[in-house]
Amino acid sequence: MEQATSDSGWRGSQEGWLEAAYDSLLESGVDSVKILPLAKRLNLSRTSFYWFFKDREELLGALITRWREKNTGNLVRQSEAYAESLAEAMLNVFDCWLNKDLFDSQFEFAVRSWALQSPEILAEVQEADRVRVEALGRMFMRFGYEEGPADVRARTTYLVQIGYISMQSREDLALRMKRIPEYIAIYTGQIPQQRELDRFFARHGYKPE
């Protein structure tokens, strides 16, 4: 037990190294994700890194896995969540845009910036885009849209949000919530019911004035 505690203390942990890499990526881009600066950030020796990762490439791969599992995985799950109507299904997807635990927009921006200098990461982003758009398309089809119109609506929904992220657009919560019913109507062709909006607002701790 004492040995395990000692090892954890001077080596850190795999999650600790990954979290430091994540923070550096968001703050300064992928070029800042290097072993020695991360060791200094964590106040650990450089050699302790190698208890958890073979090399920097493996660490970068772990970052991409985290991004893929969180942002793509949760968006797909939200698109498949139970909903009584298409409007409510879209509100489930909108949970991603308001809950960092479901979809990390800063992480998304950092990975897309990284893709500008790496063909391998660009391929990862393009695959994520494909998976996400297809999931949204299936959601529309579940509620009666044919494949073609479903694809167009899925792309409209998704590309607008990616535009928000790429432009680093900022809105206060009240303004964004005020706009959401109109977004839902535009994307789905349905006006959300008040009870659907009430459930959505409650999930995000918002009380309309």
Side-chain angles (χ1 to χ4, degrees), residues 117-141:
Q117 63 189 82
S118 167
E120 293 80 10
I121 302 306
L122 177 60
E124 289 277 359
V125 168
Q126 290 172 337
E127 176 62 11
D129 289 339
R130 183 191 65 79
V131 169
R132 296 169 188 180
V133 169
E134 287 184 358
L136 292 171
R138 290 193 300 271
M139 181 186 77
F140 280 102
M141 292 172 68

Side-chain angles (χ1 to χ4, degrees), residues 91-103:
L91 287 168
N92 289 338
V93 171
F94 269 47
D95 286 339
C96 292
W97 316 147
L98 292 162
N99 183 349
K100 187 178 179 180
D101 291 336
L102 290 176
F103 190 99

